[in-house]
Amino acid sequence: MVEGDAKGTCFLLAPIGAPRSEVRQRSDDVREFVIRPAVELAGYRLARADELAAPGNITTQIIRHVIDAPLVIADLSGANPNVMYELAVRHAISKPVIHVTTDARHIPFDIASYRVIVIDVQDPAAARRGQNLLSEAIRAAERNADRVDTPISAAVNVAGVRRRLSLEHAEEAPQEAGVLSALADINERLKGLEY
């Protein structure tokens, strides 16, 4: 395996937990047996919040990495609030992010329609499959770095289309107006659902 850092840092958003806790062990296993090999093979250096050594405000450092890193991997396992907050920042700037989890049953609603790689470190063959899927996702993220689709970018794009399709232009683009009407209807129906 090639020790990577030619492409910069891939920042890992992950629930870390206390030393020797179950959360920490799971997070470390996912990082070491699946994520690190795929990331380094792709030419990146992997970093996680607990590995940042520079003095200063840790939250500011984390957010700076979330914003500046050419690639972010978000481990959604356990729906950790810090991970979700940091992921929202990454989604807001529409830069490449790959979602992973160890529990496909508990993917947050707002992310459930996006591709999430399920990782199983308890089974070596499954861990290898997860590593291969992650390698493929990294290549895809690199190819499409300027076209990142996130829940926030999708909402902003819909809002932009709505602005462009004022009532005076609706007759010129009836198909787009129909799509917007359908989206508005779906949005109203979703408001009543609990998630």
Side-chain angles (χ1 to χ4, degrees), residues 113-171:
S113 64
Y114 289 84
R115 186 172 310 281
V116 178
I117 298 170
V118 180
I119 295 173
D120 178 1
V121 293
Q122 302 303 315
D123 173 16
R128 183 72 178 151
R129 279 191 302 277
Q131 191 181 102
N132 290 338
L133 288 170
L134 186 55
S135 291
E136 291 173 22
I138 291 169
R139 288 190 295 274
E142 290 173 336
R143 282 191 307 272
N144 299 304
D146 59 336
R147 293 184 313 260
V148 177
D149 181 30
T150 72
I152 295 172
S153 66
V156 169
N157 288 340
V158 168
V161 170
R162 279 193 182 128
R163 279 193 299 278
R164 287 191 302 275
L165 288 177
S166 63
L167 291 176
E168 62 195 26
H169 295 95
E171 292 177 17

Side-chain angles (χ1 to χ4, degrees), residues 27 40 59 62 90 130 137 150 165 179:
S27 189
E40 289 180 352
T59 303
I62 291 169
R90 186 68 175 198
T150 72
L165 288 177
V179 168

Side-chain angles (χ1 to χ4, degrees), residues 7-22:
K7 296 179 182 176
T9 299
C10 171
F11 196 63
L12 174 59
L13 310 179
I16 298 169
R20 294 186 294 281
S21 69
E22 184 178 319

